[in-house]
Amino acid sequence: MNRKFALLLSLCLLGQAHAAEGSPVMRLATLEWLPYTGAALAHEGWSSYVVESAAKRFGYRAEVEYFPWTRAMQLGMKDAQYAGYFPAYYTKERAQKCYFSSSIGSSTIGFAYLKSAPLQWQSLQDLTTRTIAVVAGFSNGPSFDEWVRQHKLTVDASPSDTLNLRKLLAHRVDTVVIDKLVLRYLLATEPTLAKQRDRIVFHERPLAELSLHVCFQKTAEGRAMQQAFDTALHSLPLHKMENDYFQRIDSSALP
């Protein structure tokens, strides 16, 4: 029997065998990235809800642990206690180091700026004179990432979107690269930002539309887990689940 197929079969059989006595655990590393992932959110966030739902379909219980993003990636890729990490944007570099699941959602990446200092941009060349806040370890689309690697853009990296927005309000950076939904959520729920949310604008021109994935460890076991996860994921009504989930968030957390 093909080894990968045998591993995949064993995952499914193990899930069935343990169903009555408690499901086996699929442990993943992640970060606090509201509303996609967050310990205080319903189902620990939208991305966690998708992961949890898919894991249940093949007899596993998803368990997530939170770290700064660079640490989450390191543990997810190398620590045997974890099956992988999420939610990760697809990049060619990451694809060499892990097995990407099918998409568990998508993210609209763009620029936040102060209403008092309007941002006009059509190409990355228009941003070369600005200081741009980014989250350390985040990919922001292949074009932007390549310009950063070539030192064509000036970036200021910090551990979180919240810190970057505070820098923007304090005029320490000119603009912030951020997910549109994350910005909306933070401006509605983070007390230090909500008081000044009318000062911040999200540019109508997106930087990138990126899909989100689970990055499973690049081992035979990781490959089998990824295959079982994808099979389960494809059976989920993701569009309906997403609409229902964010309707609940809109009614409880957002204005």
Side-chain angles (χ1 to χ4, degrees):
M1 181 184 292
N2 179 278
R3 185 163 182 255
K4 288 184 179 179
F5 178 77
L7 283 165
L8 177 59
L9 180 61
S10 68
L11 285 172
C12 296
L13 292 176
L14 182 60
Q16 294 172 6
H18 285 266
E21 59 189 63
S23 299
V25 173
M26 181 179 74
R27 183 174 290 107
L28 298 170
T30 190
L31 78 165
E32 287 274 349
W33 192 43
L34 310 176
Y36 294 99
T37 53
L41 296 177
H43 298 282
E44 299 194 49
W46 162 240
S47 295
S48 298
Y49 181 39
V50 175
V51 167
E52 167 194 303
S53 300
K56 284 182 179 178
R57 288 289 177 107
F58 65 100
Y60 270 64
R61 175 170 58 87
E63 185 175 288
V64 300
E65 296 181 3
Y66 297 88
F67 305 92
W69 183 235
T70 51
R71 181 64 173 157
M73 290 191 293
Q74 291 169 356
L75 289 171
M77 283 191 293
K78 298 178 181 179
D79 192 316
Q81 296 182 71
Y82 298 91
Y85 67 93
F86 81 106
Y89 298 139
Y90 177 89
T91 69
K92 290 182 180 180
E93 181 181 2
R94 288 175 183 168
Q96 295 175 356
K97 300 176 182 179
C98 68
Y99 291 116
F100 274 98
S101 73
S102 296
S103 174
I104 61 171
S106 62
S107 167
T108 300
I109 303 299
F111 295 105
Y113 62 95
L114 294 177
K115 190 181 297 184
S116 60
L119 172 67
Q120 301 296 332
W121 81 284
Q122 293 297 318
S123 70
L124 293 177
Q125 182 64 44
D126 299 327
L127 303 169
T128 56
T129 60
R130 294 181 178 256
T131 301
I132 307 168
V134 299
V135 176
F138 273 29
S139 169
N140 293 301
S143 298
F144 185 90
D145 292 349
E146 183 59 29
W147 276 55
V148 172
R149 277 193 289 269
Q150 294 180 17
H151 304 289
K152 292 181 178 180
L153 296 173
T154 301
V155 296
D156 183 320
S158 66
S160 73
D161 291 300
T162 301
L163 287 176
N164 284 339
L165 292 171
R166 289 173 181 163
K167 289 179 182 179
L168 179 67
L169 289 166
H171 299 278
R172 291 171 54 193
V173 297
D174 299 309
T175 185
V176 173
V177 178
I178 191 169
D179 171 272
K180 184 177 183 179
L181 190 59
V182 171
L183 175 64
R184 180 186 177 192
Y185 189 88
L186 290 176
L187 293 182
T189 62
E190 172 57 44
T192 61
L193 301 175
K195 294 177 182 178
Q196 304 187 71
R197 61 185 175 186
D198 290 340
R199 296 177 58 198
I200 298 176
V201 181
F202 187 81
H203 201 284
E204 62 183 12
R205 180 181 178 83
L207 173 62
E209 297 279 354
L210 303 173
S211 59
L212 299 170
H213 306 264
V214 178
C215 201
F216 290 97
Q217 289 191 3
K218 201 145 195 178
T219 62
E221 292 80 5
R223 178 61 170 165
M225 183 72 78
Q226 178 251 348
Q227 290 175 333
F229 182 87
D230 277 1
T231 298
L233 182 65
H234 294 155
S235 71
L236 295 175
L238 288 182
H239 184 68
K240 182 180 185 303
M241 288 170 61
E242 182 176 15
N243 285 339
D244 291 346
Y245 187 86
F246 284 109
Q247 281 179 6
R248 289 196 297 271
I249 285 186
D250 283 340
S251 64
S252 61
L254 299 176

